[in-house]
């Protein structure tokens, strides 16, 4: 990922068109200092991105049991970026285990909190995974192949960003500060660029793809420059809209804004 940037005339329009000003308003402003960033700072940047997990009646996460050699079980807690996939899993649980399925529900929480859980996990028989949307993985694979990469599967959670014809990263400005936006939904970036159709940069801009792991790795890199502090994550519009439809009861099982959820016990799922 190249950290050479070119500013966009539409300023905030690229990130916010059709998504909502609250997204960038909650994004921590870039700090005027050199990198690298701390894990806590990275987690803070990820906090505006919702993920969806499945919990039982008591708010404890529902875990999948994966058989291992020697009769052992590996328990997996999943966080989905696409709420539709999480809802589909709940329907499957209702069919295979009606008792748990009738109590299971999908709740949102922050990706920053999920990141902290995964980073702090010390139990070897419990795994936490973040799953990207199938449509975004497909789009990411198409973009990667078009760029000449010889891959059959996309290796991670895709993030989409714009580049100028000269290969510079597209940026936006907020409060006089330059921001490099990375989108979780390729269509949101495409629509934002289309709304800026009057500018030459937008007309000629190209959408590229990287992975969340690569971006986070650069933010944490001991040799990172100040540019990494300009990075901002833009959640999928569809995920934000879905959260707005949820009743308060579905926001209480697991803390949706990333505060520590002490005492949560996993609910086993066959």
């Amino acid at each position: 990922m190249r950290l050479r940037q070119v500013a966009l005339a539409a300023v905030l329009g690229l990130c916010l068109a059709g998504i909502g000003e609250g997204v960038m308003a909650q994004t921590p402003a870039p700090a005027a200092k050199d990198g690298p960033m701390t894990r806590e700072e990275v987690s803070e940047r990820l906090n505006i991105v919702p993920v969806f997990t499945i919990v039982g009646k008591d708010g404890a996460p529902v875990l999948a049991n994966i058989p291992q050699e020697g009769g052992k079980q590996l328990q997996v807690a999943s966080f989905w970026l696409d709420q539709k996939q999480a809802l589909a899993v709940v329907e499957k649980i209702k069919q295979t285990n009606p008792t748990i399925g009738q109590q299971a529900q999908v709740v949102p929480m922050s990706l920053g909190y999920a990141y902290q859980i995964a980073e702090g996990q010390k139990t070897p028989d419990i795994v936490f995974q973040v799953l990207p949307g199938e449509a975004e993985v497909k789009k990411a694979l198409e973009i990667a192949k078009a760029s000449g990469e010889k891959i059959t599967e996309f290796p991670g959670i895709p993030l989409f960003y714009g580049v100028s014809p000269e290969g510079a990263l597209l940026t936006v400005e907020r409060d006089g500060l330059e921001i490099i936006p990375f989108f979780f939904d390729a269509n949101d970036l495409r629509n934002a660029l289309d709304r800026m159709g009057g500018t030459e940069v937008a007309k000629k801009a190209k959408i590229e793809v990287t992975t969340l792991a690569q971006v986070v790795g650069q933010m944490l890199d001991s040799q990172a420059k100040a540019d990494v502090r300009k990075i901002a994550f833009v959640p999928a519009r569809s995920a934000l809209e879905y959260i707005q439809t949820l009743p308060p009861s579905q926001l209480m099982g697991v803390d949706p804004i990333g505060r520590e959820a002490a005492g949560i016990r996993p609910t086993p799922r066959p």
Side-chain angles (χ1 to χ4, degrees):
M1 182 184 68
R2 296 151 296 194
L3 285 179
R4 187 163 62 92
Q5 303 102 36
V6 56
L8 294 175
V11 191
L12 223 52
L14 173 63
C15 269
L16 306 184
I19 296 178
E21 294 188 1
V23 173
M24 196 56 70
Q26 296 177 48
T27 302
K33 58 181 180 180
D34 291 337
M37 298 176 66
T38 66
R39 295 186 181 279
E40 290 73 21
E41 288 174 322
V42 171
S43 178
E44 184 180 4
R45 297 290 172 93
L46 292 170
N47 272 342
I48 65 167
V49 180
V51 290
F52 303 89
T53 193
I54 301 171
V55 300
K57 184 178 181 179
D58 61 353
V62 176
L63 305 183
N65 291 321
I66 309 299
Q68 304 292 299
E69 292 183 4
K72 295 183 178 180
Q73 296 280 334
L74 180 66
Q75 294 186 308
V76 180
S78 298
F79 303 95
W80 289 268
L81 282 160
D82 184 348
Q83 72 279 1
K84 296 188 294 295
Q85 290 178 241
L87 292 167
V89 172
V90 169
E91 292 304 313
K92 290 182 180 179
I93 296 174
K94 289 179 179 179
Q95 296 175 11
T96 58
N97 193 322
T99 300
I100 294 179
Q102 292 303 318
Q103 299 176 349
Q105 61 178 343
V106 173
V107 297
M109 62 194 315
S110 75
L111 179 56
Y113 181 52
Y115 171 74
Q116 287 180 324
I117 291 176
E119 286 289 306
Q121 177 57 32
K122 305 299 182 183
T123 306
D125 58 349
I126 298 180
V127 175
F128 294 88
Q129 64 176 357
V130 178
L131 301 171
E134 294 177 356
E136 301 318 305
V137 171
K138 181 180 179 181
K139 183 63 177 179
L141 187 59
E142 292 174 356
I143 294 174
K145 286 183 175 180
S147 298
E149 295 190 36
K150 306 298 182 181
I151 57 176
T152 57
E153 294 183 359
F154 191 77
I157 298 170
L159 286 179
F160 304 92
Y161 59 99
V163 296
S164 71
E166 297 74 30
L169 291 174
L170 302 187
T171 66
V172 295
E173 292 181 7
R174 178 170 68 88
D175 300 329
L177 297 173
E178 192 175 46
I179 293 173
I180 306 171
F182 285 86
F183 287 70
F184 280 82
D185 189 316
N187 285 333
D188 289 339
L189 174 53
R190 181 74 269 165
N191 290 338
L193 288 170
D194 289 345
R195 289 186 177 90
M196 294 177 56
T199 69
E200 285 302 312
V201 172
K203 288 179 180 178
K204 298 179 180 179
K206 182 180 179 182
I207 294 178
E208 297 284 3
V209 65
T210 183
T211 68
L212 177 61
Q214 288 178 320
V215 175
V216 169
Q218 287 204 359
M219 297 167 82
L220 296 172
D221 192 326
S222 60
Q223 302 300 314
K225 305 299 182 182
D227 283 343
V228 299
R229 293 185 174 272
K230 300 176 182 179
I231 292 173
F233 299 106
V234 183
R237 174 183 178 180
S238 59
L240 299 178
E241 291 177 341
Y242 173 73
I243 289 175
Q244 293 174 358
T245 69
L246 296 178
S249 61
Q250 282 186 256
L251 301 176
M252 295 173 63
V254 174
D255 193 312
I257 59 173
R259 293 193 300 262
E260 182 176 0
I264 288 182
R265 301 180 307 280
T267 302
R269 168 161 62 92

